[in-house]
Structure formats: structure tokens, C-alpha cells
Amino acid sequence: DDDDDDDDINEKERKRARLARLSRNCPYLDTINRNMLDFDFEKLCSVNMSNQNVYACLVCGKYFQGRGEGTNAYMHSLEESHHVFINLYTLKFYCLPDNYEVIDNSLEDIKFVLYPVYAPSYVSSLDTRDIKHSRALDGTRYIPGVVGLNNIKANDYVNVVVQTLNRITPLRNFFLDANNTKRIKDPLVQTVGDLIRKVNNPRAFKGHVSPHEFLQAITSSSRKQFTIIKQCDPVNLLSWLLNTLDKKLRRHNVTIVSDIFKGVMEVTSRKLPPSTDEQVISKLNIDLTSEEYQEKTVTIEFMYLGLDLPPAPLFHDAVQQNIIPQVPLFELLNKFDGVSKHEYKTHKDTILKSFRIKKMPRFLIMHVKRFTKNTFFVEKNPTIINFPVKDIDWGDYILDEDKKEGERFHYNLIANIVHDGLPAAGNGTYRAHIIHKGSKKWFEVQDLHVAEVLPEMITLSESYIQIWERNMNVTKPQQQHEDEEPQSEIANDMDTSA
């Protein structure tokens, strides 16, 4: 009996030693086909659609569950003679059907594509380094951070939101560090982080990214309010996404969304009577001195500002029929000077409002209200907004009592979402202009299309959403000598508001 036990022990040791040798010298590594690997898809077994214990075949790229005898991955290895797999969650490699772990440094590039991990020094240098092209396996050249996103069916409105959020440095850097979200077991937070890390991957196997998992998480978290089969409004998506992320992150004491996007506004409102005729007011028994018709002032937080376009002309003569209406940005910003009053109608009341900014956010989102709905259809205002792309001064819209001494409020444009075509879902398309801060070059991104664009072309587009970043390096100008002519401040004519 003792001899039998010794034989069993020796057999186990020999098997263990054999597997150890194979782990370091797997004979099937040359069968791996990196061109077939695509880790952008949802991590589901291709046979039973399970998301538990899923492995990717590194020969054909398909996903299978399990690796023990009788599992889908095990049977696939026998039927197709595909032997090398990676666990999509543990990032460990295995050889089937022998079922031993493969340890080889040549596989690190696959692991990095599946789950990129960036050094803090690399992340901190993203906005200071010049453009450095990377090359995909098929030879395609791409710029990490400025890559196309696949439009699966009607998710161009999602793609432009992802492109703009990736320009916001603190938010992008937060998600680039996987440690920040590792403990947050929420599909939306996890997929946002995965997508941001893949978009900025300098060692990707292909020059674009497919946001499958992110789209699935959005559809599920929004209860199908946003889907890939119907084009939605990117303003609604951006608002929902930021508020939802803020709510989920706050549960873990993370306030980054509020810290960079939320501002404070003072809103003064007064309800107007249904008529200015005193006889009508008297007949309706309306008491204009009642509290209902008194002026009220409230202080609210805002995530973005809405800009009201002037009505587009209804008719043109023969000469003007091809002229596109234009308006300077600073005219739209007068809405927030605390003096201008605007009427807002509800289904039964008319409210007169004025707005005054009390606290500006670090990143300002502005929404241009181009679409109006009536009983029958949606109309689009094609008015072009004239604005500079950098150094807009918001100082005139903030009271001195809300400023610190010498505090400046200059903003630079970092992203611009444009709507082209007719209004209503599916009739138009969305594209984004984004800046590469290191090179100070602008790019136009529309789904998979990426091309460099001149800054002058951005102002000619029908801007719909803009994101501006506060320039914290601007200081109070020094006192000029009396004999010097003051330099004109171009910044004062630029601004954003939404």
C-alpha cells in the first residue's frame, strides 16, 4: 500500500512538473491570431449567452463559458483544435483541453488590449505631448484619444457624447486609473471606464473602438430610454449620463462630476397676468398684489446652460433667400447678465425670468436650443452662432461680490457637437469637433471618420452642444502706462452659454 501511495505521489509530481514546463513553453502559441481578436463585444458565451466565467478563444476570437471537461470552451478546443484561451475577467491564459495556465511575456499585448492599465506619468502627460500616431495590426494609423467609434445602427448621438467627455481632462484621467472604479460594481460606471481606457489605448489591435458594452449598459440603466436602434437627443443623454454617474459615484464618496460641471445661478421670476388690460384683470378677479404675482428669487445649481436663438426669418426676398441667419455669441450670453428678462410660457402661465451666474464651473456645458416642437412636427433653427474658440471672458456676467480679487473667468472651447440635416430622430446626423490639447489641433469626428479641421471651420457649423474649459492660468492684467494704448480684449466678445 505504501508503494502504491508513493507511486501516486510521484505521478502527481511528474504531472505537475510537466504542466509547469508546458506553462512556460506552450506549443500552441503560434496558433494565436491577433487579427481575429475583438474585446469590444459584451462578454457573453456565444453558445448559451451566459456572462459567468467566460473565456475568449485566441485563435478565432469567439467567447465560450468554462474550461473544465464538458464546458463550451473545452468542447470548442476539441472540435476546432483551438487551444489557447484567456479568461476575460482574471486575464489569465489557459491551454485546453490540457487545462494548464500559460505563462509567457509575449501575451502581454493581448492582456493590455483587453484591459489597458496606464502609468500615472503617462496619464498626466496626455495633454502636453504632441501627436504621436500608433499603428494597428492592419497598418492603420490612428491617434490615441482621437479614434473613431463604430455606429452600430443609430448610436451616433452616443458617439459624440463619448468623444466630448473624453476631452474633459479630470474626468478622463479619473477613468483611466482603473483603481478608481475597481471597487464600484456598477455596469454603467465600469463600462464608461473600459471605453475611455480603450479609446486612449496606444497599443490597440485596430484603429477604432466599438462601444457595445457601453451601449448595453446605457440601455439597461436608462430603462430603454436610450437605445442603439433609435436616434435620441445627445443633450438628454449627456444630462442623464452626468447626473446618473454623479449619483452612483457619490455612493462611494466620489464627487468628481459635481466638482467639475456644477455651477450656481440666481433666478428671479415673476408670474405675469393673462392680460395687460385692467378691465380684463378686474373681471377675472386677479389681485396683482398677491404673493402669486410677486417677484421671487431662488438660487439653483446647474449642470449646463441653455442658449435661446432668435427666431429665424420666415420669408426671404430674391436676394436674401440664400443668406443664413447669424448671431454673435455675446448677444445670446446677455441672457445671464441679471438684467435681461425673458418670457417663458407653460401650458397655462407666462413667467418672466432673469438669470445671474454666481459661480462658474471649471467645465461649462452650453446647449443651443435649435429645436422647437409644435402639435404636428419638429422645427430646426439654422442660425449660425459667431464665436471664437478660445479666451472667452465671462467676467461681465458675474457680480463683483461673487468674485475673488483678481479672479478671471476666461474659457477655451474643447468640444463642439454639431447637428446636420433635418430635425426629428433619424433625419439628421451628429458629429463632433474636438481639440487635441498637446498639439492644439482640432479634429472632426463622425462615427468612424476622423479628420483634421481648421478652427475657422468650427464656427461655421450649426453648433448644438459646446464644452468650454476654464483657463486657470489667466491672471489679472498689469496696470498699463498712461501713454500706452490699451490692447483690445478679444476675449470679451466670446463666451458660451446654454
Side-chain angles (χ1 to χ4, degrees):
D1 292 339
D2 291 340
D3 293 339
D4 292 340
D5 292 340
D6 291 341
D7 291 341
D8 291 341
I9 294 173
N10 292 334
E11 180 62 27
K12 290 179 180 179
E13 290 179 350
R14 283 195 294 272
K15 185 177 181 180
R16 191 179 297 112
R18 174 178 171 273
L19 292 179
R21 288 195 303 272
L22 289 173
S23 292
R24 299 289 181 179
N25 301 281
C26 180
Y28 300 111
L29 294 184
D30 60 344
T31 64
I32 295 175
N33 187 352
R34 287 170 170 78
N35 290 301
M36 297 297 294
L37 303 183
D38 188 347
F39 299 124
D40 293 342
F41 293 98
E42 196 172 4
K43 297 177 177 62
L44 299 175
C45 175
S46 59
V47 178
N48 60 16
M49 304 304 292
S50 171
N51 62 355
Q52 302 294 318
N53 200 26
V54 180
Y55 291 77
C57 174
L58 299 186
V59 181
C60 64
K62 294 180 179 179
Y63 294 174
F64 299 96
Q65 185 183 31
R67 74 172 196 272
E69 291 188 18
T71 60
N72 293 318
Y74 183 90
M75 298 306 298
H76 177 75
S77 69
L78 292 176
E79 294 170 357
E80 303 294 336
S81 295
H82 295 174
H83 300 288
V84 188
F85 294 77
I86 183 174
N87 187 302
L88 296 177
Y89 301 99
T90 66
L91 307 184
K92 292 183 177 181
F93 298 89
Y94 294 92
C95 182
L96 301 181
D98 292 337
N99 199 11
Y100 60 85
E101 183 180 355
V102 178
I103 302 173
D104 196 290
N105 290 334
S106 66
L107 303 176
E108 289 299 315
D109 62 329
I110 298 176
K111 187 185 297 185
F112 192 86
V113 169
L114 174 57
Y115 194 81
V117 177
Y118 303 102
S121 58
Y122 175 81
V123 174
S124 61
S125 67
L126 286 178
D127 289 339
T128 58
R129 61 174 62 194
D130 201 353
I131 291 177
K132 184 177 181 180
H133 288 83
S134 296
R135 192 176 295 276
L137 292 179
D138 62 357
T140 304
R141 286 163 56 87
Y142 69 92
I143 303 172
V146 188
V147 299
L149 296 175
N150 191 22
N151 188 349
I152 300 169
K153 188 170 184 180
N155 58 277
D156 59 339
Y157 73 100
V158 179
N159 292 348
V160 292
V161 169
V162 172
Q163 295 287 3
T164 55
L165 291 182
N166 189 51
R167 294 297 99 198
I168 299 169
T169 301
L171 191 69
R172 178 200 64 198
N173 292 355
F174 173 82
F175 283 108
L176 284 180
D177 186 350
N179 294 321
N180 290 331
T181 57
K182 187 174 292 184
R183 59 190 174 89
I184 304 175
K185 304 302 181 183
D186 181 86
L188 182 63
V189 176
Q190 290 291 336
T191 53
V192 169
D194 291 343
L195 183 57
I196 294 296
R197 286 191 290 274
K198 288 178 179 179
V199 167
N200 291 277
N201 189 352
R203 291 150 54 185
F205 289 166
K206 48 192 176 65
H208 66 274
V209 176
S210 296
H212 286 269
E213 290 185 289
F214 179 59
L215 292 170
Q216 292 289 347
I218 285 179
T219 302
S220 176
S221 297
S222 67
R223 298 180 180 178
K224 298 186 178 180
Q225 179 182 353
F226 305 104
T227 66
I228 65 173
I229 60 176
K230 181 182 178 181
Q231 187 186 66
C232 298
D233 193 327
V235 170
N236 296 335
L237 172 63
L238 182 60
S239 177
W240 173 86
L241 181 59
L242 292 179
N243 281 288
T244 304
L245 285 176
D246 188 38
K247 181 179 178 181
K248 293 178 181 295
L249 292 174
R250 278 181 177 274
R251 295 172 185 169
H252 300 269
N253 298 320
V254 178
T255 60
I256 184 170
V257 176
S258 297
D259 293 343
I260 63 180
F261 287 115
K262 282 192 176 179
V264 178
M265 178 193 301
E266 189 176 82
V267 182
T268 302
S269 59
R270 180 170 61 88
K271 182 179 176 180
L272 298 179
S275 173
T276 57
D277 191 325
E278 293 184 1
Q279 293 183 349
V280 174
I281 294 175
S282 177
K283 184 179 292 187
L284 294 174
N285 294 322
I286 295 176
D287 183 7
L288 296 181
T289 62
S290 65
E291 184 179 353
E292 182 181 4
Y293 290 95
Q294 298 306 304
E295 194 171 79
K296 302 178 181 67
T297 300
V298 295
T299 301
I300 62 172
E301 291 183 331
F302 66 87
M303 193 77 81
Y304 63 88
L305 299 178
L307 297 183
D308 303 316
L309 289 175
L314 296 178
F315 305 101
H316 299 289
D317 56 30
V319 178
Q320 294 179 322
Q321 61 181 355
N322 294 323
I323 296 178
I324 300 175
Q326 302 182 41
V327 60
L329 178 60
F330 73 88
E331 285 191 14
L332 304 183
L333 297 182
N334 288 336
K335 171 183 176 180
F336 305 101
D337 60 9
V339 178
S340 304
K341 298 184 182 298
H342 305 264
E343 289 188 7
Y344 294 89
K345 297 182 182 295
T346 64
H347 63 286
K348 63 176 182 178
D349 296 325
T350 300
I351 310 296
L352 192 66
K353 293 184 177 182
S354 63
F355 307 89
R356 167 68 75 178
I357 305 295
K358 293 187 69 67
K359 178 186 175 184
M360 291 292 291
R362 180 177 173 186
F363 288 85
L364 176 64
I365 302 175
M366 297 197 304
H367 162 222
V368 181
K369 298 178 180 179
R370 290 196 176 275
F371 303 106
T372 55
K373 295 181 181 179
N374 57 34
T375 308
F376 304 102
F377 51 85
V378 179
E379 294 180 299
K380 178 182 177 181
N381 189 327
T383 301
I384 298 297
I385 302 175
N386 297 322
F387 60 92
V389 296
K390 61 181 181 179
D391 211 22
I392 284 187
D393 187 2
W394 270 85
D396 293 340
Y397 302 93
I398 302 175
L399 292 176
D400 291 339
E401 63 189 47
D402 296 321
K403 300 178 186 177
K404 298 177 182 178
E405 185 178 356
E407 189 174 17
R408 309 282 285 176
F409 297 91
H410 287 237
Y411 283 77
N412 298 329
L413 184 69
I414 60 172
N416 179 53
I417 295 178
V418 179
H419 179 271
D420 297 312
L422 300 175
N427 291 338
T429 58
Y430 292 99
R431 55 192 170 96
H433 297 124
I434 57 177
I435 189 171
H436 184 276
K437 293 182 181 178
S439 63
K440 296 181 174 56
K441 293 182 178 179
W442 282 89
F443 292 87
E444 180 180 275
V445 185
Q446 184 172 16
D447 298 331
L448 296 177
H449 170 78
V450 179
E452 188 175 344
V453 64
L454 294 174
E456 294 79 6
M457 300 300 295
I458 298 173
T459 60
L460 300 178
S461 61
E462 296 178 4
S463 295
Y464 189 48
I465 303 173
Q466 295 181 341
I467 299 184
W468 298 76
E469 179 180 8
R470 185 175 175 183
N471 186 356
M472 306 302 291
N473 295 323
V474 175
T475 58
K476 188 173 182 179
Q478 295 181 351
Q479 186 71 29
Q480 294 174 317
H481 297 290
E482 293 182 359
D483 57 346
E484 290 180 351
E485 294 185 3
Q487 296 180 350
S488 61
E489 288 193 30
I490 303 178
N492 288 335
D493 290 338
M494 328 174 16
D495 211 348
T496 44
S497 89

